[in-house]
Amino acid sequence: MKELLSIEGLSKSYKSIRAIHNLHLLISEGQSFGILGPNGSGKTTTLSIITGIIRQDSGSFKWFGEEPVSEHRKSIGSLIESPHFYPYLNLEKNLRIICDIKGISYKDIPRVLEMSRLIQRRKSRFSTLSLGMKQRLGLAAAMLGDPQVLVLDEPTNGLDPEGIAEVRELVNNQVGIGKTLILASHILSEVEKICSHVAILKKGELLANGPVRELLAEDEIIEVSCRDNQLLKRKLGSSGLVSEIEEENGVLVLTLKERVTAHEINAFAFSCNLVLHHMLSRKRSLESQFLELVKEES
Amino acid sequence: MRKLLHTEQIKLFNYNPFRITIALYLVAFTLGILIYPAIDKEIPVISLSDLFRFPDVWLFLAWITEPYNAVLALVVIMITTKEFSDHTFKTQVVFGLSRTDLLLQKLLSIAFLSLFAMLLVGLTSLALGLIYSYKLTLKIALENTWILGKYLLAAFSYMTIGLMVALLIKNTALSLITFLALRVFVDPVLWLLLRNHEIRWYLPFRTITRLTPVPDLIEIFQRKMNSAEPIDEATMDILPKGLPEWLNVLMVILYTSLVIYGCYRLLQRRRFT
């Protein structure tokens, strides 16, 4: 896959606060890339730098393998934090300004308004829109000219459940037709549902980076129980097969070491004269992975 | 460039405070002109309507309407700080405008407003000249029209100062107060403090106002009365001298260039939130 965005050693501080530090990322065309992290982890700062809103203190980044210039941004659809438009202009006029900036025809305006279900409100002033509608207009503006790359920062921020579902559907549709997506979010399920790759940030540092599926599959977790859970816990603890054992609602939750399978656990228990009467494999959710990563580093 | 001007047109012509301020500017401008015939009745012998004749009308009108350029500078402050308060500078950058484009966009608005002001003064002078002049030849009518070029420069310079104040302060009320304080308080105080020094003629606002100076009223009225008597030295001292015309124009161009460069540096460094 062709390289879309490469970030090398990017750092940015706001006075004494370090927003991002020595960040390295590589995003390829066609990926749906999530940047995940708690509040203050440097997600918005990263996206603000790559979209030209702020300047980095050090490091560099390249769009399409080239030094960044404003022309690149014209071919990228971006929504950084809340959408900001001219409050006294109607939706159509606001989008005309974006069309002029991007150098595209006004003919695309009805398409994006239709897509974001705002066509009926095209003559309404921006200031009269609800938060959800404003967010949808932000997405509509990002999709003007049908860009191949979308950069979205917390696109579901502040929306009600219905609004969240609408925006996710809109974004998912774009990913579905092969567009590259760079999505910053602190909502784990959002990244899990939309993205194929994820980078996890904390306090401006990159903690993990890779395909969502691989990160999820890193550790396998199984639930087991037998007539003597305490004995099984002791035996497994010294077996070298598991990295962690927790008790949860009368079952043992085991985090298996790399390459250890559930079959081996079953065989081991049987060799200790313990017959398992409950065994359930469960994938660790990205949320627990994320929380664990963040906890480990603190 | 055309696209930049077009986006500015959409923004300005749909912005009510802009429309209202320009309307007030036009009302103030018209009232300012109408007031002179009324003053005229109070002054015996001398008729102010003489100043509305060609070729003096160009100089006179440029002089009396020069203060209105401050209103246009306030308009520039208003439209620029509004971009900060609505976070729309950020939106424009995100969608592909460079920071230089942002400056260019505002300079185009300023150029447009300067042309508008110049045309207004030009057309009003022309109309008044046609109404009040006894002798009308093309040569007389067009004499002194060069002042319009200087008026254009004055308006442009005023507004670039307004732009820089807005980019520096970002807040509308504070920017307006700062600009007015510079114009109404700081400049006159400095002028007084430096009254014994030639350097006072180099004060930025002073050089701008001197682009459209007080017409030589004594000479005009003397001409009217066909007096051959030379004007004594003491009378001539009433009229401010200042820098030579070419140097004054050069200083304004220099100041304006510095202000534009300052705006450029400010925009390059600004963090759009």
Side-chain angles (χ1 to χ4, degrees), chain A residues 106-141:
Chain A
Y106 295 159
K107 284 179 188 162
D108 203 29
I109 293 173
R111 179 187 71 86
V112 294
L113 284 176
E114 196 84 62
M115 199 186 285
S116 52
R117 287 193 277 127
L118 288 168
I119 194 80
Q120 304 296 330
R121 298 292 301 267
R122 66 186 186 281
K123 296 288 177 201
S124 305
R125 285 178 175 206
F126 176 71
S127 58
T128 63
L129 298 188
S130 70
L131 189 63
M133 287 173 177
K134 284 179 179 171
Q135 203 74 5
R136 290 214 304 268
L137 181 69
L139 280 169

Side-chain angles (χ1 to χ4, degrees), chain A residues 17-293:
Chain A
I17 299 161
R18 199 173 68 177
I20 48 169
H21 178 64
N22 197 27
L23 181 68
H24 290 264
L25 277 181
L26 187 67
I27 300 173
S28 303
E29 279 181 14
Q31 279 184 346
S32 49
F33 197 97
I35 299 177
L36 187 63
N39 291 333
S41 59
K43 305 181 297 293
T44 300
T45 300
T46 307
L47 295 194
S48 297
I49 291 173
I50 64 168
T51 51
I53 301 169
I54 54 172
R55 294 187 189 282
Q56 68 270 33
D57 296 336
S58 60
S60 62
F61 65 94
K62 283 181 178 176
W63 278 111
F64 311 100
E66 295 170 4
E67 291 301 320
V69 287
S70 57
E71 286 306 309
H72 290 143
R73 297 200 296 275
K74 290 181 183 173
S75 58
I76 296 167
S78 308
L79 173 61
I80 308 297
E81 290 180 306
S82 328
H84 296 294
F85 292 97
Y86 293 90
Y88 54 89
L89 292 182
N90 66 34
L91 309 196
E92 217 165 61
K93 282 179 180 160
N94 266 303
L95 292 181
R96 278 183 182 196
I97 289 177
I98 308 297
C99 283
D100 280 345
I101 292 172
K102 289 186 158 217
I104 54 176
S105 160
Y106 295 159
K107 284 179 188 162
D108 203 29
I109 293 173
R111 179 187 71 86
V112 294
L113 284 176
E114 196 84 62
M115 199 186 285
S116 52
R117 287 193 277 127
L118 288 168
I119 194 80
Q120 304 296 330
R121 298 292 301 267
R122 66 186 186 281
K123 296 288 177 201
S124 305
R125 285 178 175 206
F126 176 71
S127 58
T128 63
L129 298 188
S130 70
L131 189 63
M133 287 173 177
K134 284 179 179 171
Q135 203 74 5
R136 290 214 304 268
L137 181 69
L139 280 169
M143 285 186 282
L144 270 175
D146 203 17
Q148 285 310 299
V149 184
L150 290 172
V151 178
L152 308 177
D153 181 20
E154 314 266 10
T156 56
N157 228 3
L159 299 183
D160 57 19
E162 196 189 351
I164 291 174
E166 280 173 8
V167 168
R168 277 190 192 154
E169 191 194 335
L170 211 59
V171 175
N172 258 326
N173 289 343
Q174 296 300 304
V175 172
I177 55 172
K179 295 201 173 167
T180 309
L181 171 73
I182 302 173
L183 172 84
S185 178
H186 65 273
I187 305 168
L188 309 160
S189 57
E190 193 164 270
V191 172
E192 208 174 3
K193 280 174 190 157
I194 299 173
C195 299
S196 60
H197 289 72
V198 65
I200 300 175
L201 296 186
K202 193 201 165 194
K203 289 184 181 167
E205 306 238 13
L206 182 66
L207 299 187
N209 179 17
V212 172
R213 218 182 315 160
E214 265 179 37
L215 277 181
L216 280 166
E218 226 167 51
D219 297 315
E220 190 175 356
I221 295 175
I222 60 166
E223 290 176 8
V224 291
S225 71
C226 64
R227 62 180 162 77
D228 190 349
N229 277 353
Q230 291 312 311
L231 178 62
L232 181 62
K233 190 179 176 182
R234 278 200 304 279
K235 294 277 185 190
L236 281 170
S238 56
S239 68
L241 295 170
V242 295
S243 58
E244 203 178 321
I245 306 171
E246 278 176 55
E247 280 191 68
E248 226 178 67
N249 304 325
V251 296
L252 297 178
V253 180
L254 312 177
T255 305
L256 306 189
K257 282 194 172 168
E258 215 175 330
R259 295 202 183 97
V260 174
T261 61
H263 173 76
E264 282 171 83
I265 297 294
N266 195 14
F268 174 77
F270 195 72
S271 69
C272 299
N273 292 323
L274 294 166
V275 177
L276 301 181
H277 54 70
H278 171 83
M279 189 175 202
L280 181 70
S281 175
R282 74 178 189 201
K283 270 194 171 178
R284 183 194 289 240
S285 73
L286 189 57
E287 183 166 0
S288 58
Q289 288 270 82
F290 170 66
L291 289 174
E292 212 157 277
L293 270 169

Side-chain angles (χ1 to χ4, degrees), chain B residues 163-178:
Chain B
L163 176 66
M164 182 146 145
V165 170
L167 291 177
L168 200 63
I169 297 174
K170 298 198 286 184
N171 176 285
T172 310
L174 281 178
S175 302
L176 291 174
I177 291 168
T178 306

Side-chain angles (χ1 to χ4, degrees), chain A residues 14 52-55 70 73-74 78 80-81 84-89 93 98 100-102 106 141, chain B residues 3 6-7 10-11 14-15 83 86-88 90-99 268 271-272:
Chain A
Y14 302 112
I53 301 169
I54 54 172
R55 294 187 189 282
S70 57
R73 297 200 296 275
K74 290 181 183 173
S78 308
I80 308 297
E81 290 180 306
H84 296 294
F85 292 97
Y86 293 90
Y88 54 89
L89 292 182
K93 282 179 180 160
I98 308 297
D100 280 345
I101 292 172
K102 289 186 158 217
Y106 295 159
Chain B
K3 293 268 182 192
H6 188 240
T7 57
I10 298 177
K11 287 184 229 170
N14 290 284
Y15 184 43
E83 301 261 18
D86 289 340
H87 308 275
T88 40
K90 174 183 160 181
T91 304
Q92 294 176 88
V93 169
V94 165
F95 284 108
L97 277 197
S98 69
R99 287 158 189 256
Q268 292 298 319
R271 179 182 156 216
F272 299 119

